[in-house]
Amino acid sequence: MNRKNYQREMEQIINQYCRTEKAPSLLLHSCCGPCSSAVMERLTPFFEVTIFYYNPNIYPDEEYHLRAREQEELIRRFPAVNPIHFLEGEYHPEEFYHLVRGYEKEPEGGERCFLCYEQRLRAAATAAKNGDFDFFTTTLSISPLKNADKLNEIGQKVAEEYGQKYLLSDFKKKNGYVRSVELSEKYGMYRQDYCGCVYSLRRDFIGKSSV
């Protein structure tokens, strides 16, 4: 089966919409600063990016706030062709726990994760619509452990429901993940060793679910 080349499709969208004097606006959902680093580097020459930090899955509270502050600090220090803005969503972890009830024992990368993808992408689509953004997307596909096919499938579905444009992507392509590691080291960023939720902290996943 031939897999879609989302990187190529993203480049086609950029060629179509981003060759004018005014950069289109992009709401970029971000799971953390390290993952956003290489994505910002790739997208800010073409878009005016607003980082949308919305992650009710993150456990514990201290981890959530640490990642949020790291994200803000990276934006402050990051050189960009077009401005980068920051928007923090509301943190209600109980909404995540309610959503994944019954899926607690699912393995990493399974149905529980897909529900989490959709929760965050729906919030991003809502924020994009409320803010009248031209596009929205997520940094999640930069991780080798995240399912880019599923992310883009959900992103397109949600975009259609909300009447928004979803930027197809697979940011791990063209050494995106490797570049995020390099940039994390360059900026001295805190780089977590688990995806974020309490279930990814299980002993048998430690060291396997890092992003």
Side-chain angles (χ1 to χ4, degrees):
M1 182 177 72
N2 292 325
R3 295 185 61 186
K4 277 192 171 184
N5 188 323
Y6 297 108
Q7 170 66 28
R8 183 179 302 146
E9 293 196 32
M10 182 183 74
E11 290 170 353
Q12 290 172 350
I13 292 171
I14 287 172
N15 285 331
Q16 180 178 358
Y17 291 99
C18 302
R19 300 304 180 187
T20 61
E21 286 187 18
K22 180 175 172 54
S25 57
L26 169 70
L27 186 84
L28 176 61
H29 165 263
S30 174
C31 54
C32 63
C35 285
S36 73
S37 60
V39 179
M40 292 194 304
E41 185 178 65
R42 189 171 296 184
L43 294 182
T44 53
F46 308 106
F47 297 93
E48 183 169 343
V49 173
T50 293
I51 295 291
F52 179 52
Y53 182 80
Y54 171 75
N55 300 290
N57 58 307
I58 294 179
Y59 171 89
D61 292 5
E62 294 83 0
E63 178 74 16
Y64 169 89
H65 294 296
L66 174 57
R67 296 191 194 190
R69 300 295 79 80
E70 283 282 295
Q71 180 71 79
E72 285 190 284
E73 177 65 11
L74 177 64
I75 291 170
R76 187 184 68 80
R77 298 174 60 195
F78 201 83
V81 176
N82 291 300
I84 307 175
H85 313 285
F86 180 73
L87 174 64
E88 185 171 354
E90 295 184 355
Y91 178 57
H92 297 302
E94 67 277 4
E95 295 177 359
F96 168 74
Y97 293 122
H98 176 76
L99 178 71
V100 301
R101 188 173 299 158
Y103 294 88
E104 293 89 346
K105 295 183 179 180
E106 283 282 306
E108 287 291 278
E111 288 299 323
R112 185 185 65 248
C113 294
F114 298 161
L115 290 169
C116 185
Y117 295 172
E118 184 162 346
Q119 181 183 37
R120 291 186 277 178
L121 283 166
R122 282 191 178 280
T126 300
K129 185 167 187 171
N130 291 342
D132 198 27
F133 285 84
D134 296 310
F135 293 90
F136 76 100
T137 194
T138 178
T139 65
L140 288 170
S141 69
I142 200 166
S143 169
L145 296 168
K146 296 294 187 293
N147 187 321
D149 288 323
K150 197 67 179 178
L151 283 165
N152 283 290
E153 175 190 319
I154 294 169
Q156 288 180 294
K157 179 186 76 171
V158 169
E160 186 174 341
E161 290 179 19
Y162 286 78
Q164 300 299 294
K165 290 189 181 76
Y166 181 74
L167 183 66
L168 295 164
S169 61
D170 188 355
F171 292 116
K172 70 178 70 64
K173 298 294 187 182
K174 295 191 172 181
N175 291 318
Y177 177 74
V178 173
R179 181 59 177 158
S180 74
V181 174
E182 293 173 350
L183 288 169
S184 296
E185 292 176 354
K186 175 180 177 179
Y187 288 99
M189 299 190 69
Y190 161 67
R191 192 172 182 86
Q192 62 277 4
D193 61 0
Y194 68 106
C195 179
C197 76
V198 66
Y199 311 111
S200 63
L201 268 174
R202 291 172 180 165
R203 183 181 301 275
D204 52 338
F205 293 130
I206 290 177
K208 299 179 184 178
S209 58
S210 58
V211 294

